[in-house]
Amino acid sequence: SRLEETVKKTVTENPVVVYSKTWCSYSSEVKSLFKKLGVEPLVIELDEMGAQGPQVQKLLERLTGQHTVPNVFVGGNHIGGCSETVKLHHKGELEPLLAEATKN
Amino acid sequence: SRLEETVKKTVTENPVVVYSKTWCSYSSEVKSLFKKLGVEPLVIELDEMGAQGPQVQKLLERLTGQHTVPNVFVGGNHIGGCSETVKLHHKGELEPLLAEATKN
Ligand SMILES: N[C@@H](CCC(=O)N[C@@H](CS)C(=O)NCC(=O)O)C(=O)O
Ligand SMILES: N[C@@H](CCC(=O)N[C@@H](CS)C(=O)NCC(=O)O)C(=O)O
Ligand code: FES
């Protein structure tokens, strides 16, 4: 579908992508983690997309198996939600992924 | 107002009250913290109250200065949100409050 192509293009063309909701503290946590690591993610706020928000959220579930926000991609790869991203960082594995994804 | 009387009655008659939203991870965190501490909070899910949800959320803001969820009361006193509750617990100050609030 058109929407699926858009999402696939978004996550492959942008090193860090966070599908988020503006009111959600877990989404805020993951956004500020990336900011702290010196990375500017592309943030897509699903609650600011009108009717398309739920459509994108369903599509992401089909593509990643994850129906929740935040939904995080690094270097085109699905990382997970807030907990997975934080866990990866505590293991020291997030920054290498970010370095790889953001190099030119 | 009638709603205000209901909320005041709720927080004074129940030792632990959490105003919550079912989809919210911060709300889940605070609910499971109480469960872990052996306390059964009265949980009011604002997203399951139809039009009354936003009304109660606005009322809570007027009463407590807090417009977010979760909104936590122990022994009739406003504790705060998830972060404040967790912080209080790390300082060892939550359990004494709970003991006080739940004694008969
Ligand atoms: N463990 C997951 C929890 C994700 C989660 O439960 N997200 C909630 C918001 S905090 C959600 O998406 N709820 C359903 C919704 O908002 O549509 C994570 O760390 O990201
Ligand atoms: N620091 C606060 C954050 C509270 C917060 O931002 N809550 C969000 C949901 S996670 C909220 O209420 N957003 C507005 C809404 O849902 O109406 C806490 O620890 O509870
Ligand atoms: S909506 Fe509260 S943490 Fe996501």
Side-chain angles (χ1 to χ4, degrees), chain A residues 21 24 26 57 66-70 81-84, chain B residues 23-25:
Chain A
K21 289 185 185 178
C24 169
Y26 263 35
Q57 196 167 350
Q66 182 184 320
H67 66 280
T68 54
V69 292
C82 179
S83 336
E84 288 85 356
Chain B
W23 62 61
C24 169
S25 297

Side-chain angles (χ1 to χ4, degrees), chain A residues 23 25-26 29, chain B residues 23 25-26 29:
Chain A
W23 62 61
S25 296
Y26 263 35
E29 268 190 36
Chain B
W23 62 61
S25 297
Y26 263 37
E29 267 189 38

Side-chain angles (χ1 to χ4, degrees), chain A residues 11 15-21 24 26-27 29-31 33-34 41-42 46 60-61 63-89 94 97-98, chain B residues 25:
Chain A
V11 305
V16 185
V17 182
V18 179
Y19 289 91
S20 163
K21 289 185 185 178
C24 169
Y26 263 35
S27 298
E29 268 190 36
V30 94
K31 284 180 269 182
L33 173 59
F34 284 123
L42 175 69
L46 295 182
L60 288 168
E61 178 170 12
L63 296 175
T64 66
Q66 182 184 320
H67 66 280
T68 54
V69 292
N71 203 329
V72 181
F73 293 78
V74 174
N77 297 310
H78 179 242
I79 296 296
C82 179
S83 336
E84 288 85 356
T85 305
V86 168
K87 207 172 287 171
L88 213 61
H89 181 48
L94 183 61
L97 284 178
L98 290 173
Chain B
S25 297

